[in-house]
Amino acid sequence: MAKKTNKVEAERFLAMLLQYSRDGHFNHIIFSVRLNRNPAYTRQVMNVDLKRISKKYGNDERSYVSMTAEEASQILALINRLKEAMFANSAEKIVWESDLLARHEQEFGYHQIRERDQYDNLEFELLL
C-alpha cells in the first residue's frame, strides 16, 4: 500500500520562514532542490538554508528545513508564481502580501544560483 505524502501548506511555511529569518537578522534564504542518490531509493530533496552576512549581527549560516520535493511542491509553486509576477513587472523585488505575516507584507528579491540541470536540480535564493 502506497503512502500518501503530506504536502506542506505553502503560504504558512513561507510566512513562518520570512518571519524567522527577519527576527534572526538573516538576509539570504537559499533553496536547494537536489537529487538524493541513496542506493536504497532515489528522490529529490529540498533543503532550505539561512545565511546572514552582517557586521552588526555577525555572520551565520544554518539549515532551516529539509523535506522531499513532493512535500515542498506547493512551496515551490508559490515562489514560482511570485517570481513570475516580479518578472512580468520588470521589478527587482517581490512584494508578498498575506494576513499570515505580522507586517502583512514582505519585500524580498529573487536570485537564481543554478538553473535546472539534467537531474532537475535547482538552486535559488531569496534576498531580504
Side-chain angles (χ1 to χ4, degrees):
M1 186 170 148
K3 257 188 178 177
K4 187 175 181 180
T5 59
N6 295 328
K7 294 190 178 181
V8 178
E9 189 178 335
E11 289 191 7
R12 185 172 305 281
F13 175 83
L14 189 57
M16 289 188 320
L17 175 62
L18 291 172
Q19 186 66 45
Y20 179 81
S21 60
R22 186 177 172 121
D23 291 348
H25 305 287
F26 291 98
N27 46 16
H28 298 267
I29 303 171
I30 302 167
F31 287 81
S32 175
V33 181
R34 298 181 188 271
L35 187 65
N36 182 6
R37 295 192 186 105
N38 186 329
Y41 56 89
T42 301
R43 65 179 179 160
Q44 280 193 308
V45 176
M46 183 181 85
N47 297 313
V48 179
D49 298 322
L50 300 173
K51 189 174 184 180
R52 177 177 53 224
I53 302 172
S54 172
K55 290 182 180 178
K56 183 176 181 180
Y57 299 106
N59 298 343
D60 192 10
E61 191 169 341
R62 65 182 65 177
S63 180
Y64 182 75
V65 71
S66 179
M67 64 183 79
T68 65
E70 295 165 350
E71 294 171 339
S73 62
Q74 291 180 359
I75 298 165
L76 295 171
L78 173 63
I79 292 173
N80 197 37
R81 285 193 307 269
L82 294 170
K83 177 183 76 167
E84 288 173 358
M86 179 187 78
F87 289 142
N89 295 330
S90 299
E92 291 187 17
K93 295 219 173 203
I94 303 166
V95 176
W96 183 54
E97 296 180 18
S98 175
D99 292 336
L100 297 170
L101 291 167
R103 299 163 305 286
H104 299 292
E105 70 176 34
Q106 173 70 45
E107 183 179 71
F108 55 91
Y110 176 88
H111 177 261
Q112 188 81 30
I113 297 173
R114 185 173 64 180
E115 297 288 333
R116 290 187 185 272
D117 62 7
Q118 64 184 0
Y119 300 110
D120 225 14
N121 294 337
L122 171 69
E123 193 169 4
F124 62 91
E125 67 180 329
L126 302 179
L127 306 170
L128 299 178

